[in-house]
Amino acid sequence: MNFTLDENQSSHSFCLLAFGYLETVDFCLLEVLIIVFLTVLIISGNIIVIFVFHCAPLLNHHTTSYFIQTMAYADLLVGVSCLVPSLSLLRYPLPVEESLTCQVFGFIVSVLKSVSMASLACISIDRYIAITKPLTYNTLVTPWRLRLCILLIWLYSTLVFLPSFFHWGKPGYHGDVFQWCAEFWHTDPNFTLFIVMMLYAPAALIVCFTYFNIFRICQQHTKEISERQARFSSQSAKAGEVQACPDKRYAMVLFRITSVFYVLWLPYIIYFLLESSTGYSNRFASFLTTWLAISNSFCNCVIYSLSNSVFQRGLKRLSGAVCTSCASHTTAKDSYTVRSKGPPNGCQV
């Protein structure tokens, strides 16, 4: 923990992607470009998601909006925390020693991504209850219980990774852009098994179980409705179809978000398990899998904007409000020109 790097060979020459290093400017060009690019996307994307939820009241009618917003805030904090390695790679001096900085950064990102993983599991449970127990859903899932659940998610995620500060092992590779973390902070098989058993395995099993049953039940409902419609061709059957489809469509949106999350995190988890069990280490693989996983913090924004019609309307409303504000500012600045030429084009709500 008290290890200090020699001044002459300090992190100036350390790059996980060594072929991206530029001696003329003394920083790792490729790493900086990747991390800064992802940081900008993550921060801007999740700020938009948070604002859209405030602009579109219909989005808050779903109880899952509590968890979606929790994920958005967690992903936003991931983006903000990524400023730390960005500044480090650009050779800005760190306020505290590198060993502590990289451990704190690795811990924070691990906790935040654990919050996202646990939130996805809770979303799947929420949708499972909504479909299997529709009559008692509102009494089982109440706002104060949702808030308590979110509080427990944050507390549980913190406690799972807290032992990393007591020399149990490395919780992940998020801090490996710092030389101390990459070379002197090692994974431990027991701690890795602890993380898998306490987080990765339960979350994955819950998601698989709930969505499998959700789509099985939806398929049964659709089949029953089709049979009724074919038999009676009545208005009541059509009304039933209208009620059954929204649940399935919304479950599909959430399933896409969950699937992309696990697809992007799977290489990271595989490499994490491989290094912990066999001792295999590769800096390029470590960097690639880590930042591929972190990129998921932006993907949720894209999936929601492409899949959810209510979110799209909220986004248009937000864009309209911004355009109106711009138009009002322009009008106040040059009222004579606005009156003579009419209102500006392209910002109509």
Side-chain angles (χ1 to χ4, degrees):
M1 188 75 68
N2 296 323
F3 177 86
T4 54
L5 294 170
D6 183 58
E7 293 263 341
N8 296 325
Q9 77 165 56
S10 80
S11 54
H12 290 282
S13 59
F14 175 75
C15 289
L16 287 171
L17 307 179
F19 52 86
Y21 179 74
L22 287 182
E23 294 184 1
T24 54
V25 291
D26 192 30
F27 64 77
C28 310
L29 178 63
L30 189 55
E31 289 177 50
V32 169
L33 289 176
I34 292 172
I35 295 176
V36 171
F37 178 69
L38 283 177
T39 300
V40 172
L41 287 180
I42 291 168
I43 292 176
S44 57
N46 285 286
I47 286 176
I48 290 172
V49 169
I50 292 167
F51 274 112
V52 168
F53 267 94
H54 287 288
C55 287
L58 283 175
L59 283 169
N60 293 314
H61 289 180
H62 287 285
T63 54
T64 50
S65 66
Y66 284 83
F67 297 110
I68 296 291
Q69 290 182 76
T70 299
M71 289 173 60
Y73 281 110
D75 289 338
L76 176 61
L77 291 174
V78 168
V80 172
S81 64
C82 287
L83 293 172
V84 175
S86 301
L87 294 175
S88 174
L89 289 170
L90 290 170
R91 306 308 172 199
Y92 281 86
L94 298 172
V96 293
E97 64 179 23
E98 186 179 79
S99 60
L100 181 60
T101 301
C102 74
Q103 286 184 86
V104 171
F105 172 72
F107 170 77
I108 289 174
V109 176
S110 296
V111 168
L112 293 173
K113 298 317 296 178
S114 173
V115 168
S116 294
M117 191 175 291
S119 296
L120 289 170
C122 289
I123 286 172
S124 67
I125 294 172
D126 174 81
R127 290 297 87 200
Y128 179 76
I129 296 172
I131 289 177
T132 57
K133 298 182 178 180
L135 298 179
T136 58
Y137 175 79
N138 289 329
T139 57
L140 292 172
V141 183
T142 58
W144 76 266
R145 285 180 178 173
L146 289 170
R147 294 188 185 98
L148 178 62
C149 183
I150 290 169
L151 178 63
L152 291 175
I153 285 172
W154 283 92
L155 181 62
Y156 183 79
S157 299
T158 302
L159 292 175
V160 166
F161 290 100
L162 195 60
S164 63
F165 283 108
F166 300 99
H167 309 291
W168 281 36
K170 185 193 292 189
Y173 308 100
H174 310 103
D176 279 12
V177 291
F178 302 96
Q179 187 171 359
W180 190 92
C181 273
E183 296 182 352
F184 299 97
W185 199 20
H186 303 295
T187 56
D188 182 89
N190 295 324
F191 187 47
T192 300
L193 181 62
F194 172 77
I195 294 173
V196 170
M197 297 301 294
M198 297 299 291
L199 180 63
Y200 296 156
L205 289 173
I206 288 170
V207 165
C208 291
F209 172 81
T210 51
Y211 279 114
F212 173 79
N213 284 283
I214 285 169
F215 290 121
R216 181 178 58 81
I217 293 167
C218 284
Q219 195 171 21
Q220 287 177 353
H221 288 176
T222 304
K223 185 178 179 181
E224 289 172 4
I225 290 167
S226 299
E227 288 175 353
R228 282 187 204 148
Q229 200 169 11
R231 192 180 303 168
F232 303 107
S233 187
S234 64
Q235 293 295 323
S236 60
K238 292 180 181 178
E241 185 178 15
V242 171
Q243 290 175 357
C245 288
D247 281 336
K248 186 176 180 180
R249 284 199 299 269
Y250 193 59
M252 278 300 300
V253 173
L254 300 172
F255 180 70
R256 288 189 197 109
I257 292 175
T258 305
S259 299
V260 170
F261 181 92
Y262 280 98
V263 165
L264 293 177
W265 272 87
L266 188 60
Y268 171 86
I269 294 172
I270 291 173
Y271 179 78
F272 189 40
L273 295 173
L274 185 65
E275 190 193 48
S276 299
S277 58
T278 66
Y280 172 79
S281 181
N282 184 290
R283 287 181 177 177
F284 179 80
S286 168
F287 182 88
L288 184 65
T289 56
T290 297
W291 292 94
L292 180 66
I294 288 178
S295 70
N296 172 259
S297 296
F298 171 71
C299 292
N300 293 338
C301 316
V302 177
I303 297 169
Y304 226 76
S305 61
L306 293 177
S307 304
N308 193 302
S309 58
V310 178
F311 184 89
Q312 291 169 1
R313 290 199 296 272
L315 186 59
K316 288 178 182 177
R317 180 178 175 181
L318 177 62
S319 303
V322 171
C323 286
T324 303
S325 177
C326 293
S328 300
H329 179 72
T330 305
T331 303
K333 190 176 180 180
D334 195 354
S335 57
Y336 175 78
T337 305
V338 172
R339 281 196 300 269
S340 61
K341 295 185 177 180
N345 294 324
C347 288
Q348 299 175 0
V349 184

